[in-house]
Amino acid sequence: MKIQQYLGGVDGLGPVHVEKRVFVEPWEARLFGVHSTMMGTGIWAWPDLRIRAEAMNPLDYFKYRYYIKWQGAMVDFLIKHNYITEKELDEKTDFFLKNPDAELPDVGASEVTQRVVDYFYTGDNPYRDVIVNPRFKEGERVRINDMPAAPHTRLAGCFRNKVGVIEKVYKGAWLYSASVPTDGLGVPQPIYLVRFNTRDVWNDIPDSADVIYFDFFEIYVSAAD
Amino acid sequence: MSAEHDEHGEHGEHHHHERESESYYAARTKALESLFREKGMIGVDTVDRVIRFFDHDMGPFNGAKVVAKAWVDPGFKARLLEDANKAIAELGIRDGIEGENLRVVDNTPSVHHMVCCTLCSCWPWPLLGLPPYWFKDPVFRARVVKEPRAVLKDFCVDLDPGKQIRIWDSGAQVRYFVVPERPAGTEGWSEEKLAALVSTEAMQGLGLVAA
C-alpha cells in the first residue's frame, strides 16, 4: 500500500498550512516554466510526473515541498529518457552554485515559446469519440473495486470497497494515458460520477448529510449487489 | 564536532545537506533551463512568458469575473451551471489545459461545495490559474474529504452546521469550480466591484465572501 494512493482520510496530521502563494521561491516559478515547456513540446505529460510522486518514499512525500518533488521527478525523467546526462546537470548545478548571478546562455529555440502558450489554450482533452456501451446507468448502486496495487492509479484508495450511486454517466469514452503502467486505464472507457455518503466512506465520523463525489474510470466500478 | 566527523561530513552529510538547500534547488533549476537552452529545447523568453501568462492571462481574476457575472445575471448563471466551457466563452475567457471539461457548482443557503484532489493537484486552470500551496499540501488533501468542517476552521471559516457539505474530489477529466454565495449588502454593485471581493479560496469552497 502506497500512502500517496490512499491519502484521503489519513488521520492525525495536524492543521493545514494555509499558504496561499503558488510559488514560495523564485526558482519554483522558473522550474514551472521548464515543466510547461516539457508539457507543451510533448517531452512528458502528467502521468510521467504523477507516477514518480506515487513511487516516492511516503515520508519524503510528506517532507518535501511540492516543487522540490517536481524537480526531482523532472530530473529523473530527463536523465532516464536521455534528454540530459546526470554529469552535465551536476556540472552546471555546481557552476550556478558557485556563480549564482551568472547569466543563462543567450541561445535557444524561439518558436518554442508560442508553442507552449498555444498548448495552454489547446490543452489535452482525453475525450475519444468512439462508441462505448457504459455498463452502468444513472441511479445505479455501485461498489468500487479493490484493485491490485499498480505503479500508477486514478483510484483514490479511500473509495475501495465502498458503495455509492452513479450520479452521471459521462458521454463517450476517455483515454487516460498509455505511457505509464496503471491498473487498467490504458484503453478508452466510460467515466462515471459517483456520489457517496461521507459516512459510508468513513464509519468513525458523526452521521451527517454530507456527500463526496469522485469521477471513476469504468475499470474501477462494479455492480453493488 | 570531531575532526573525524568533519572529514566524513565533507563528503557525506555535508554533500547531502547541500543538496537539500534552497540555493541548491535554485542552481539546479538554472542548470536545467541552461541545458534546455543549449540543446534548443526552449526559447530564451519561454520561462518569462509562462510566468507572465499566469500573471495576466490565466489566473483567479478570470474566475472572479465569472462569479460576479453569475451573481448579477441569473440567465448566465444557469448557462454556467449547465455548460461551463461554453458559458465562460461569453465573457471572452478561453478554456484550455486542466479545464477542457469544467463543471461549476453553486453554494446556496443549504449546500456548501468544496473542491479537492486527493490523488494529486487537479485544479481548474482556465478559471483560477495555478493552485496555491495549501491545495497541494498532502495534509489538506488527506483531511478535507473526511473532516471538511475542521479543515474550514484552519481557513478561519466557521460553517453553519446546518449546511450539507458536498466534496468534489477530482479523479478524472473534470475540473470543478464553486460559485460562492453573494454577500448581503452588495445590491446594485458593479461586476468589477463584486469581482474584487472574491478570493481564490472562495472559488474552491475554502472561503466565504464578505462585503
Side-chain angles (χ1 to χ4, degrees):
Chain A
M1 166 181 168
K2 291 180 186 171
I3 289 287
Q4 291 92 310
Q5 298 178 345
Y6 286 79
L7 259 194
V10 172
D11 289 318
L13 293 173
V16 175
H17 178 50
V18 185
E19 170 56 68
K20 296 183 180 177
R21 287 175 294 172
V22 171
F23 303 114
V24 295
E25 291 287 337
W27 67 261
E28 297 182 344
R30 297 207 71 83
L31 183 83
F32 181 80
V34 176
H35 155 80
S36 298
T37 304
M38 291 168 67
M39 295 279 284
T41 59
I43 290 178
W44 83 342
W46 293 125
D48 298 304
L49 175 60
R50 291 173 183 154
I51 196 169
R52 283 170 171 77
E54 288 168 41
M56 282 183 76
N57 174 323
L59 301 180
D60 287 344
Y61 185 77
F62 275 90
K63 176 180 166 188
Y64 291 108
R65 222 165 57 225
Y66 189 71
Y67 285 112
I68 296 173
K69 291 183 272 194
W70 278 39
Q71 187 183 79
M74 288 162 68
V75 166
D76 178 70
F77 178 93
L78 290 165
I79 291 169
K80 282 214 173 94
H81 291 262
N82 299 314
Y83 288 99
I84 60 173
T85 67
E86 190 164 13
K87 186 168 172 289
E88 63 186 354
L89 181 64
D90 284 346
E91 283 169 6
K92 278 258 188 273
T93 305
D94 282 343
F95 172 77
F96 285 116
L97 265 172
K98 291 185 185 109
N99 306 279
D101 297 324
E103 299 277 339
L104 287 163
D106 192 25
V107 293
S110 54
E111 72 279 5
V112 169
T113 304
Q114 192 55 44
R115 208 171 147 195
V116 171
V117 171
D118 290 344
Y119 172 73
F120 288 146
Y121 284 127
T122 312
D124 179 25
N125 200 341
Y127 179 74
R128 295 292 179 273
D129 197 13
V130 298
I131 294 167
V132 287
N133 294 304
R135 289 171 54 214
F136 306 101
K137 56 185 190 299
E138 281 164 22
E140 205 167 335
R141 271 161 46 86
V142 291
R143 184 180 295 278
I144 305 308
N145 294 332
D146 192 5
M147 315 287 288
H152 183 41
T153 187
R154 293 309 292 169
L155 167 57
C158 59
F159 299 115
R160 288 171 180 256
N161 286 314
K162 304 299 180 188
V163 172
V165 175
I166 304 265
E167 176 95 356
K168 185 181 172 88
V169 181
Y170 294 103
K171 181 178 164 287
W174 302 81
L175 177 64
Y176 178 70
S177 168
S179 67
V180 297
T182 67
D183 46 14
L185 297 170
V187 291
Q189 55 192 287
I191 294 178
Y192 303 95
L193 173 64
V194 179
R195 184 185 71 244
F196 302 88
N197 295 318
T198 306
R199 185 73 193 305
D200 290 344
V201 181
W202 294 284
N203 60 14
D204 59 344
I205 56 172
D207 202 3
S208 75
D210 296 350
V211 294
I212 305 183
Y213 295 91
F214 193 88
D215 293 312
F216 290 92
F217 288 85
E218 187 169 72
I219 190 84
Y220 300 133
V221 181
S222 290
D225 309 305
Chain B
M1 196 184 275
S2 72
E4 191 189 30
H5 191 107
D6 267 343
E7 201 181 319
H8 174 74
E10 187 68 27
H11 304 290
E13 273 174 47
H14 174 71
H15 190 62
H16 181 70
H17 186 72
E18 187 179 83
R19 283 188 167 230
E20 293 194 1
S21 68
E22 291 303 331
S23 53
Y24 175 80
Y25 299 131
R28 199 134 179 100
T29 299
K30 216 165 166 183
L32 272 178
E33 187 181 351
S34 183
L35 287 172
F36 267 57
R37 287 190 184 198
E38 287 169 17
K39 292 170 191 288
M41 291 156 68
I42 201 168
V44 291
D45 64 341
T46 309
V47 169
D48 290 332
R49 182 74 186 89
V50 168
I51 293 170
R52 230 172 36 243
F53 183 83
F54 287 98
D55 281 342
H56 299 288
D57 301 313
M58 213 178 246
F61 38 85
N62 287 341
K65 198 169 149 187
V66 168
V67 168
K69 179 75 176 170
W71 281 346
V72 302
D73 182 344
F76 173 79
K77 184 168 155 184
R79 295 193 294 282
L80 182 69
L81 300 179
E82 176 66 31
D83 185 341
N85 291 70
K86 218 162 130 183
I88 64 169
E90 292 178 32
L91 306 185
I93 298 171
R94 294 176 71 180
D95 61 10
I97 180 172
E98 291 299 296
E100 300 92 344
N101 301 277
L102 293 165
R103 170 142 184 210
V104 176
V105 291
D106 71 321
N107 284 344
T108 69
S110 57
V111 176
H112 182 80
H113 297 276
M114 296 168 72
V115 182
C116 66
C117 175
T118 56
L119 282 175
C120 47
S121 47
C122 297
W123 175 264
W125 289 21
L127 293 174
L128 292 178
L130 302 173
Y133 255 97
W134 61 261
F135 188 81
K136 307 177 287 206
D137 178 1
V139 176
F140 168 78
R141 292 156 51 208
R143 291 185 55 210
V144 70
V145 280
K146 184 175 176 184
E147 37 172 346
R149 284 179 173 80
V151 167
L152 280 169
K153 286 202 173 110
D154 290 345
F155 285 74
C156 302
V157 174
D158 214 353
L159 195 73
D160 173 354
K163 288 199 188 211
Q164 181 197 40
I165 291 184
R166 297 185 188 169
I167 305 265
W168 301 85
D169 185 355
S170 321
Q173 84 288 19
V174 181
R175 299 292 172 263
Y176 295 94
F177 177 88
V178 178
V179 175
E181 281 188 273
R182 180 174 178 169
T186 57
E187 296 76 15
W189 284 29
S190 69
E191 285 175 43
E192 204 179 7
K193 199 172 165 193
L194 288 168
L197 298 176
V198 185
S199 68
T200 298
E201 286 67 37
M203 293 183 276
Q204 293 284 277
L206 274 299
L208 305 176
V209 183

